[in-house]
């Protein structure tokens, strides 16, 4: 319904009936504030996206070492074995364990780069606290911040866009492999990764390593953004469907980014671009809020 209303408003706008268009944009923004069309409508109204979050800290939690259930994970953390910590915590979260300090699990997951678990817990286990900023930041985390900093700066790319792509590609799972053969956090196809990996010693197995995947994926996204003069809609579409297809779609016309998206003939890519841009806009709104 939001999609139909949005294009109805566009028709009014094209006819010069700004009042009617504004009324519809208001309705969309009110009923679907964080949907793709709701965010676009908010932008049309020239308003900032209001996350309406409560800037509070997570509920106090006891020291994880006080819980027998977490003892193994805590010991592994002390040994700096983050990957094993993540496996233990994921298994615990998937179990029917009771009397667990889930806030302690969440904190330990963040400290050990278990971002897939952080995301799942924020979206489901802590859904009752969904208005708190720390839950939003778990649902849209700055995953692997240390590993992201240098590649984003070197490639002059907004890390929030990379995180938005990462969220929709892998939900922050470093070892996931798609049925099509895309690998890791940014779901890189080996052929594409080889194209953008520096050095001759390319190894497909390295794509499950967060540092390598982020480095190569960020370089690829920066290339696409440069190719499309900074247009994130085009870059996201090309990341999913390839540059050749997107170049063809651009040549076929479309006056606005929204029209470009609507005219994408591949349903998967059409949906994908909307998801990435929605996540990006939420990232921007969330992390631009004043503390």
């Amino acid at each position: 319904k939001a999609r139909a209303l949005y294009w109805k408003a566009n028709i009014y706008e094209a006819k010069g009936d700004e009042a009617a268009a504004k009324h519809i944009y208001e309705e969309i923004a009110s009923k679907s504030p964080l949907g793709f069309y709701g965010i676009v409508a908010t932008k049309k109204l020239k308003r900032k996206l209001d996350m309406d979050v409560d800037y509070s800290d997570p509920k106090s939690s006891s020291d994880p070492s006080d819980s027998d259930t977490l003892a193994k994970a805590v010991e592994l953390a002390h040994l700096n074995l983050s990957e094993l910590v993540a496996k233990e915590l994921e298994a615990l979260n998937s179990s029917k364990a009771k009397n667990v300090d889930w806030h302690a699990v969440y904190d330990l997951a963040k400290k050990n780069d278990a971002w897939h678990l952080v995301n799942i817990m924020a979206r489901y286990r802590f859904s009752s606290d969904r208005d708190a900023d720390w839950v939003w930041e778990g649902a849209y985390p700055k995953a692997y911040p240390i590993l992201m900093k240098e590649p984003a700066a070197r490639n002059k790319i907004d890390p929030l866009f990379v995180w938005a792509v990462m969220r929709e590609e892998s939900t922050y799972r470093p070892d996931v492999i798609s049925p099509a053969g895309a690998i890791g956090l940014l779901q890189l196809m080996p052929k594409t990764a080889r194209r953008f990996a520096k050095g001759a010693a390319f190894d497909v197995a390295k794509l499950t390593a967060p540092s390598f995947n982020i480095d190569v994926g960020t370089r690829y996204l920066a290339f696409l953004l440069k190719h499309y003069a900074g247009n994130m809609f085009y870059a996201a579409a090309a990341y999913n469907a390839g540059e050749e297809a997107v170049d063809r779609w651009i040549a076929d016309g479309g006056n606005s980014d929204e029209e470009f998206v609507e005219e994408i003939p591949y349903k998967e890519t059409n949906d994908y671009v909307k998801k990435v841009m929605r996540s990006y806009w939420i990232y921007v709104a969330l992390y631009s809020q004043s503390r």
Side-chain angles (χ1 to χ4, degrees), residues 59-67 70 100-101 103-105 107:
K59 297 174 184 176
S60 60
S61 58
S62 61
D63 186 330
S65 60
D66 291 339
S67 171
L70 295 177
V100 176
D101 187 342
H103 289 280
V105 173
D107 291 342

Side-chain angles (χ1 to χ4, degrees), residues 180-211:
I183 302 171
L185 290 170
L186 289 163
Q187 286 292 275
L188 292 161
M189 294 297 291
K191 183 178 179 180
T192 301
R194 184 174 284 107
R195 177 182 166 197
F196 288 92
K198 286 188 175 180
F202 174 76
D203 183 355
V204 172
K206 292 170 67 177
L207 287 173
T208 58
S211 58

Side-chain angles (χ1 to χ4, degrees), residues 6-7 36-37 39-41 43 161 165 221 224-225 228-242 245-247 249-250 256-264 269-281:
Y6 178 79
W7 291 109
F36 175 80
Y37 290 103
I39 296 175
V40 173
K43 288 178 173 292
F161 183 61
V165 172
L221 281 169
L224 291 175
L225 285 167
Y228 295 112
N231 189 303
M232 291 182 178
F233 288 83
Y234 295 168
Y239 198 85
N240 181 263
V246 174
D247 290 346
W249 298 336
I250 293 172
S256 68
D257 292 333
E258 291 78 23
E259 287 177 314
F260 165 76
V261 174
E262 288 302 323
E263 292 171 4
I264 292 175
T269 305
N270 186 303
D271 292 341
Y272 175 81
V273 175
K274 291 175 183 176
K275 289 176 181 177
V276 168
M277 292 309 301
R278 174 183 178 272
S279 285
Y280 174 68
W281 290 329

Side-chain angles (χ1 to χ4, degrees), residues 109-119 136-152 159-160 162-167 170-174 185-186 210-211 214 218 283 287:
K110 287 182 67 175
K111 291 174 182 176
N112 286 273
D113 281 337
W115 296 103
H116 173 55
L117 178 58
V118 168
N119 181 254
W136 276 102
E137 289 173 0
Y140 294 84
K142 290 184 175 182
Y144 303 95
I146 295 174
L147 299 182
M148 181 69 75
K149 186 175 181 180
E150 195 277 331
L160 299 181
V162 183
W163 279 315
V165 172
M166 188 185 295
R167 185 180 196 273
S170 69
T171 55
Y172 318 102
R173 291 173 293 175
L185 290 170
L186 289 163
S211 58
I214 290 172
T218 300
Y283 261 109
Y287 291 103

Side-chain angles (χ1 to χ4, degrees), residues 50-59 128-137 286 289-291:
D50 184 7
M51 298 301 296
D52 191 27
V53 296
D54 171 25
Y55 291 101
S56 57
D57 294 325
K59 297 174 184 176
S128 61
D129 297 313
R130 64 171 59 94
D131 291 333
D133 68 318
W134 62 271
V135 175
W136 276 102
E137 289 173 0
L286 180 62
Q289 297 276 5
S290 60
R291 290 293 193 268

Side-chain angles (χ1 to χ4, degrees), residues 15 30 161 175 191:
K15 291 179 178 179
S30 173
F161 183 61
D175 56 355
K191 183 178 179 180

